[in-house]
Amino acid sequence: MNSTSNSDRSLRESTIGDVIRLLVDMLGETIVSQSARLDFELVEEIRGLSKAWRAGETSASAELRKTSSALAESVSCAGGITATVVKAFLTYFQLVNLAEEHERVRILEHRAEQAFIDKKPMDESIAAACQTLKREGVDAETMQSILNRLEIRPVFTAHPTESRRRTVRQILKRISQMVDRIQSSGTFEFQRPALKDQLHSLIVLLWQSDEIRQRRLTVMDEVRNTGLYFFEETLFDVVPVIYEELKNALEDSWPETGFDIPPFLNFGSWIGGDRDGNPLVTDEVTESALRAHKELALKRYAADVEELYELLSVSRNRASFSTEFLEQLRSELAALTTGPDDVVYRFDQEPYRQMLVLIFRKIQATREDNRKPWAKSSGNSGGYRSASQFLAELRTIDTSLQQNRGAELTQGLLSGLIRRVEVFGFHLASLDVRQHAKRHRQAIAEILESQGIADGYQELSEVQKLALLNAELNSDRSLTAKLNFSAPTSEIVSIFPLI
């Protein structure tokens, strides 16, 4: 007999309709308490008419047009009924979309669970792709060759229609997390009323928050709101999982082969670098975007290193360490300018922790240096000169653990951090610096004319232009040093030292 309780069974079998009803009912309560019951009744009337219209009722269409016209006439009334109706439907669709996302995740998780039970890869997964290649005759050597050539580079573009505030995204994320907790089979019944109260308060917060900024969007708003948000909230966590799934899939399909999986996945962005038609993107903005990218990467690395420090309490009394690691640690400790009272010496019996304290300090010094404009940065802060230095230190720790019965300790956090550094470096994403070709042609024409090299560059044939440009590229002379150009040409020239 199945002893599962009815409440647990109903939670497991809950559908998208259950989630939508929960969220929409709370939205209705919010509209009544935050606005008025009449406003709620009007919203429900419009919703009912819209459903009837879609079902083919012609009278509903006429009534809907009449109601819409009345609302349009009162649109100038700030905070009036029109604003309430717009906010109500906007919030309604945000919550319905959230419920649909939950359903998609639930279906994918169910498919993954069933595939695991059936001991076969889930359709359209990395594992299924590897097994398909194996069945079609791809051997391990060919697969390694494919990996060596593989390059995937998603690029974030500036999109003015994406105006949703980061604040609203965060509220919706909290709502999603609260729905998860309410629906979880691990949540007791006595806990659900309090969780539903918290969910209701989040919907009230969503109702009382502005959907868009009340000021003009800046380029740096776009950098933070569109680009950095998705790195911080999703990609930093997902990327190591993708690599781990690929590693496991390769091992399952070609079990006798140890694959080298290069960092084939990297990211790009136009936001803060795309000048084509956007006068707001200046050198200062581009530098700020690059520094913001670097700060986010370093901030996440600092958090990972701090977590590793809590984890790797391996003692000299219980394990050995590689010679390379111990020599590197001795070198780092010898360079310290502090005395024996430094906190790092508290962990004399826990060398990995000592190294991680020193790594954390270098990351923090690198962050501090990055906060200064690059023209004022000395580069002598004691931080890292490059991400490759940081990566080398992490790999030394990894190798030492592998060689000294600590292979299990390299999985998860340390391997994930290494993958992150391989993919994101200190730059997070490469920034595409774009400008209209016409602006470049005009600048080149002015530079060449100012040097007496060519008049009428733009009237030359393509063959003549190429010959002239190739000759100058192979020349040792500088065409842009200490010359005064027009403002448009100076702007074109100035971006190259920044790059």
Side-chain angles (χ1 to χ4, degrees):
M1 292 180 65
N2 188 347
S3 61
T4 305
S5 70
N6 290 334
S7 60
D8 285 345
R9 187 180 301 110
S10 65
L11 275 167
R12 251 199 340 265
E13 297 170 355
S14 63
T15 65
I16 184 174
D18 298 320
V19 178
I20 289 176
R21 276 189 291 275
L22 174 67
L23 295 172
V24 171
D25 286 349
M26 287 187 175
L27 174 60
E29 294 171 15
T30 300
I31 295 172
V32 172
S33 65
Q34 297 293 312
S35 185
R37 175 159 290 279
L38 287 175
D39 296 344
F40 170 71
E41 290 172 354
L42 177 58
V43 169
E44 286 297 289
E45 178 186 349
I46 293 172
R47 194 157 70 97
L49 288 171
S50 299
K51 290 173 68 176
W53 177 35
R54 290 186 63 188
E57 294 183 23
T58 54
S59 60
S61 175
E63 282 295 318
L64 192 57
R65 281 197 297 269
K66 180 180 175 182
T67 304
S68 299
S69 298
L71 287 172
E73 290 175 3
S74 64
V75 74
S76 61
C77 178
I81 184 62
T82 303
T84 299
V85 170
V86 170
K87 177 70 173 178
F89 279 102
L90 179 59
T91 307
Y92 170 82
F93 285 115
Q94 287 174 332
L95 296 176
V96 169
N97 287 340
L98 184 149
E100 290 176 346
E101 289 172 7
H102 264 267
E103 181 68 2
R104 283 194 292 271
V105 170
R106 188 189 70 81
I107 291 171
L108 287 172
E109 288 176 342
H110 177 75
R111 287 173 57 196
E113 176 69 10
Q114 191 60 49
F116 179 80
I117 292 171
D118 296 340
K119 297 182 179 180
K120 65 178 185 180
M122 186 173 72
D123 291 344
E124 301 176 357
S125 65
I126 294 174
C130 286
Q131 291 203 3
T132 299
L133 290 170
K134 177 74 178 292
R135 284 197 304 272
E136 293 181 356
V138 174
D139 59 22
E141 184 179 357
T142 303
M143 191 64 214
Q144 183 64 66
S145 176
I146 291 171
L147 291 172
N148 293 341
R149 300 194 311 272
L150 185 62
E151 182 177 358
I152 301 174
R153 186 170 177 262
V155 178
F156 287 88
T157 61
H159 207 304
T161 59
E162 179 51 85
S163 57
R164 185 189 295 178
R165 296 174 63 203
R166 185 186 183 102
T167 298
V168 171
R169 285 198 184 113
Q170 292 286 8
I171 296 170
L172 289 169
K173 180 181 178 181
R174 291 191 181 97
I175 290 174
S176 178
Q177 291 168 340
M178 194 58 64
V179 170
D180 278 338
R181 291 185 63 189
I182 291 170
Q183 288 199 301
S184 171
S185 59
T187 298
F188 293 105
E189 286 297 328
F190 76 86
Q191 295 174 317
R192 288 196 172 89
L195 293 175
K196 288 181 178 180
D197 286 342
Q198 294 177 49
L199 175 62
H200 192 185
S201 70
L202 287 169
I203 293 176
V204 171
L205 179 61
L206 184 62
W207 179 265
Q208 292 189 355
S209 299
D210 284 329
E211 296 294 332
I212 58 175
R213 291 176 180 80
Q214 300 304 307
R215 58 176 175 81
R216 186 176 181 179
L217 197 71
T218 68
V219 177
M220 286 307 297
D221 286 331
E222 289 184 287
V223 170
R224 287 184 286 265
N225 197 42
T226 303
L228 300 186
Y229 176 85
F230 293 106
F231 283 99
E232 185 168 15
E233 296 293 330
T234 303
L235 294 174
F236 250 86
D237 298 320
V238 167
V239 161
V241 175
I242 293 172
Y243 279 94
E244 188 65 21
E245 284 187 14
L246 177 58
K247 173 178 172 290
N248 293 335
L250 291 168
E251 289 175 353
D252 289 342
S253 296
W254 294 273
E256 304 302 320
T257 305
F259 286 94
D260 174 32
I261 305 176
F264 60 85
L265 178 62
N266 58 83
F267 295 85
S269 176
W270 288 4
I271 312 170
D274 184 7
R275 285 157 165 70
D276 189 1
N278 189 348
L280 298 178
V281 180
T282 62
D283 289 359
E284 291 75 16
V285 166
T286 297
E287 181 180 324
S288 295
L290 291 166
R291 286 167 56 207
H293 282 199
K294 187 171 183 177
E295 165 58 19
L296 176 57
L298 291 168
K299 183 179 79 169
R300 286 299 303 258
Y301 296 154
D304 284 351
V305 168
E306 198 165 14
E307 194 173 348
L308 269 174
Y309 158 82
E310 297 291 342
L311 173 68
L312 291 181
S313 56
V314 181
S315 170
R316 292 179 188 267
N317 298 319
R318 303 294 302 162
S320 300
F321 302 83
S322 73
T323 302
E324 180 188 7
F325 168 75
L326 291 176
E327 288 178 352
Q328 184 175 342
L329 177 59
R330 275 193 292 270
S331 175
E332 295 278 348
L333 292 174
L336 281 181
T337 57
T338 54
D341 58 337
D342 191 309
V343 66
V344 75
Y345 291 108
R346 286 171 44 196
F347 305 105
D348 182 57
Q349 295 304 306
E350 298 171 340
Y352 293 132
R353 278 186 161 176
Q354 284 186 302
M355 179 62 83
L356 288 165
V357 169
L358 298 173
I359 288 174
F360 182 83
R361 289 177 181 176
K362 282 189 277 188
I363 290 175
Q364 295 297 74
T366 309
R367 293 177 71 184
E368 186 62 34
D369 204 43
N370 186 54
R371 292 186 182 110
K372 306 168 188 172
W374 286 343
K376 299 180 181 178
S377 176
S378 65
N380 297 320
S381 61
Y384 288 107
R385 294 190 302 276
S386 68
S388 60
Q389 287 183 298
F390 177 41
L391 185 58
E393 291 176 349
L394 294 175
R395 284 176 173 161
T396 301
I397 294 174
D398 181 79
T399 301
S400 179
L401 286 164
Q402 297 276 2
Q403 293 175 352
N404 293 281
R405 302 180 184 180
E408 294 84 357
L409 300 178
T410 68
Q411 303 305 308
L413 187 56
L414 179 56
S415 61
L417 176 55
I418 289 172
R419 280 299 182 192
R420 288 186 183 104
V421 181
E422 287 177 340
V423 172
F424 300 114
F426 284 172
H427 64 286
L428 193 68
S430 58
L431 189 66
D432 290 4
V433 179
R434 304 171 72 249
Q435 181 56 278
H436 198 287
K438 180 181 178 181
R439 292 285 306 278
H440 286 159
R441 288 194 294 268
Q442 291 170 339
I444 291 171
E446 182 179 339
I447 292 167
L448 294 175
E449 185 177 350
S450 71
Q451 293 277 40
I453 296 170
D455 292 332
Y457 166 80
Q458 298 201 67
E459 281 70 50
L460 298 176
S461 69
E462 288 301 306
V463 173
Q464 291 171 319
K465 287 178 180 177
L466 286 172
L468 177 58
L469 293 175
N470 277 321
E472 290 304 325
L473 286 170
N474 289 315
S475 171
D476 291 333
R477 65 179 167 186
S478 171
L479 299 181
T480 58
K482 300 180 181 178
L483 292 176
N484 295 319
F485 301 114
S486 64
T489 297
S490 295
E491 183 184 330
I492 293 291
V493 170
S494 67
I495 188 60
F496 290 95
L498 177 61
I499 291 173

